[in-house]
Amino acid sequence: MSTEKLKEKINDILPFLNERQKRIFLGAEAKSIGYGGISKIARLAGVSRPTIHQGISDLESGGNNASESVRVSGGDPKPKHAQNKKLLKTIESLIEDSTRGDPMSPLKWTSKSTRHLSEELYKKGYEVSYETIRVILKQLGYSLQGNDKSLEDSHPDRDAQFKYITMQVKKFLKDNFPVISVATKKKELLGNYANKGQEWRKKGSPRKVNGRDFPDPKGKEIGIPYGIYDQGKNLGWINVGCDHDTSDFAVQSIHRWWTYMGRKIYPDAKKLLICADSGGSNGYRVRLWKIKLQEFANKSGMEITVCHFPKGTSKWNKIEHRLFSHISMNWKGHPLTSHDVMVNLIGATKTKTGLKVVVKIDKRKYPTGIKVSDQEMEKINIGKHNFH
């Protein structure tokens, strides 16, 4: 009989038997199988091996050793730990104190694992295995849980800010002025290193990459993709930097987009709207970002409007899910061994909705630590939105 048929047979018969009959029936089935039968029947029926051993013993004795008493369902004796209310309270106090951050809790700075709980209980005079503690915790209503990223440092006017940004975007697009979302994608270490994701290859022949992501001692090569996403035309521009992600690099990336792509699409544009995250190289408090934007405005002759998203809301920036996510999917599982490989993979990114991406390598040097004085800031022709 196949394993599936045997399991079906056991499940069909067991509901009609009392405890002693179940034991004898399962013992008979295990005995008929021979070697390995006890383990197999125990697994299929969901009972312990000692139960089946007892059933075989009853069979071999001809029923003389079989007890005539039959327990009702749920009549098993309660485990000792379930009867010890003091033990249950001790376990709960260990968990709760560490959760609340009690400075005197012995588990405050350690993993609240069942093994650590078992060790602390032993110090208090209780000898309980970690497996038993696992059962107790489930009975007390506990479960293994990760962190819930639901708390946000949000501004009280966050919804109003989003509505204002949306209104600005619609206004610019209606007037046929460019609206771009900008951000820096994660800096990538170039070399034969593992890249997240999987790709189709011959079975048993994965790409061989370095076991560790340590940079080459001769010097590390990096690729910094700064992206510009045209919301009106569904076009992407990536400027791949080789030095540092500074505000100068960010504005230079926008300037290159305008030179190579933007002004060809919007030859009559007098205004530009930039939607950006509130932090990083294009952060709203970064002085160098404002200085460089003023220089770009002077060269392009455009009036530049910048809308920063509230803190912690970068995932709503269009560039994240309309450009960067597709780039990540396109190069998944493919080691970024050089700038050329990165450029080719980014440039080949397309979607069914018509996204096209142009990418350029930028080998300029962008030094860090540049200070902007108050006198320089006073020369900027900048004003706040009416919203503020």
Side-chain angles (χ1 to χ4, degrees):
M1 182 181 295
S2 66
T3 300
E4 291 77 12
K5 290 291 184 181
L6 179 57
K7 185 176 182 179
E8 183 180 350
K9 173 186 174 182
I10 292 172
N11 292 336
D12 288 343
I13 296 176
L14 287 184
F16 300 97
L17 307 178
N18 60 36
E19 186 177 333
R20 178 159 51 87
Q21 292 168 342
K22 289 178 182 178
R23 188 169 64 239
I24 294 173
F25 164 65
L26 294 175
E29 290 294 335
K31 191 175 180 181
S32 67
I33 293 174
Y35 180 78
I38 294 175
S39 297
K40 183 175 183 178
I41 295 300
R43 185 174 64 255
L44 295 178
V47 300
S48 65
R49 289 167 53 88
T51 298
I52 299 177
H53 277 295
Q54 184 61 49
I56 294 175
S57 178
D58 291 344
L59 280 172
E60 292 176 346
S61 67
N64 295 328
N65 296 334
S67 171
E68 295 297 326
S69 61
V70 180
R71 288 180 297 191
V72 297
S73 178
D76 304 80
K78 297 296 181 184
K80 289 183 179 180
H81 64 73
Q83 301 174 24
N84 192 335
K85 294 183 179 180
K86 190 175 180 181
L87 170 62
L88 300 182
K89 288 183 179 179
T90 303
I91 293 176
E92 277 200 289
S93 68
L94 285 172
I95 291 290
E96 288 297 323
D97 287 345
S98 63
T99 302
R100 289 196 301 266
D102 184 348
M104 300 303 292
S105 172
L107 295 177
K108 182 181 179 183
W109 303 113
T110 63
S111 166
K112 284 71 181 176
S113 67
T114 54
R115 284 181 169 82
H116 283 162
L117 283 168
S118 178
E119 292 172 4
E120 290 301 322
L121 287 171
Y122 183 77
K123 295 176 184 177
K124 295 180 180 294
Y126 299 101
E127 193 168 348
V128 187
S129 71
Y130 69 89
E131 288 294 347
T132 301
I133 292 174
R134 187 189 304 275
V135 174
I136 294 173
L137 288 174
K138 289 184 177 179
Q139 291 174 349
L140 293 174
Y142 289 88
S143 64
L144 289 172
Q145 299 183 39
N147 296 153
D148 180 8
K149 295 170 66 175
S150 59
L151 301 179
E152 294 186 13
D153 181 18
S154 61
H155 194 278
D157 293 331
R158 192 179 78 164
D159 289 342
Q161 291 181 55
F162 273 113
K163 290 178 181 178
Y164 179 81
I165 293 173
T166 301
M167 180 184 69
Q168 290 292 312
V169 170
K170 289 181 178 179
K171 181 180 177 181
F172 271 72
L173 291 178
K174 182 179 178 182
D175 295 336
N176 197 32
F177 291 141
V179 178
I180 59 174
S181 295
V182 302
T184 306
K185 188 171 168 58
K186 183 176 74 71
K187 178 173 68 177
E188 300 289 347
L189 183 62
L190 301 182
N192 193 32
Y193 305 118
N195 199 0
K196 290 183 178 180
Q198 298 174 319
E199 61 176 346
W200 289 103
R201 291 178 64 85
K202 282 286 187 179
K203 190 174 181 180
S205 60
R207 289 184 185 272
K208 303 294 184 181
V209 297
N210 296 344
R212 297 179 182 274
D213 291 349
F214 292 145
D216 191 321
K218 297 178 181 178
K220 63 180 180 180
E221 268 196 319
I222 59 172
I224 308 172
Y226 191 92
I228 293 94
Y229 175 72
D230 186 334
Q231 296 189 36
K233 305 298 183 182
N234 192 28
L235 296 173
W237 169 275
I238 299 292
N239 190 43
V240 178
C242 308
D243 192 35
H244 296 98
D245 179 22
T246 67
S247 295
D248 188 7
F249 168 65
V251 177
Q252 186 61 232
S253 298
I254 298 173
H255 196 170
R256 295 189 84 193
W257 161 79
W258 177 249
T259 302
Y260 290 101
M261 178 184 285
R263 67 182 179 186
K264 297 177 182 178
I265 303 173
Y266 305 95
D268 301 322
K270 300 299 180 183
K271 295 181 179 181
L272 168 66
L273 174 61
I274 301 174
C275 297
D277 302 338
S278 59
S281 57
N282 44 233
Y284 75 102
R285 299 181 65 181
V286 183
R287 287 187 168 192
L288 187 59
W289 161 255
K290 298 173 184 179
I291 288 287
K292 292 300 178 179
L293 278 180
Q294 181 66 70
E295 293 177 4
F296 172 51
N298 295 340
K299 292 178 181 178
S300 64
M302 288 189 296
E303 176 185 309
I304 299 175
T305 302
V306 181
C307 287
H308 284 99
F309 286 92
K311 291 181 179 180
T313 61
S314 60
K315 58 187 175 184
W316 277 281
N317 196 352
K318 292 287 192 297
I319 194 171
E320 296 291 344
H321 50 87
R322 291 192 181 177
L323 179 58
F324 286 167
S325 62
H326 297 294
I327 292 173
S328 296
M329 286 188 286
N330 192 57
W331 72 23
K332 63 181 181 180
H334 200 301
L336 304 175
T337 53
S338 65
H339 286 111
D340 288 339
V341 170
M342 176 181 275
V343 166
N344 289 332
L345 287 170
I346 293 175
T349 303
K350 297 179 182 179
T351 66
K352 290 183 179 179
T353 55
L355 172 69
K356 294 181 181 179
V357 184
V358 177
V359 56
K360 294 285 185 180
I361 194 77
D362 186 349
K363 295 187 177 181
R364 293 181 180 86
K365 295 295 181 182
Y366 294 98
T368 59
I370 296 176
K371 303 293 183 181
V372 177
S373 66
D374 293 339
Q375 291 74 19
E376 290 177 289
M377 290 297 294
E378 290 175 358
K379 297 178 182 179
I380 300 177
N381 183 19
I382 188 172
K384 292 184 177 181
H385 288 268
N386 293 331
F387 176 84
H388 297 287

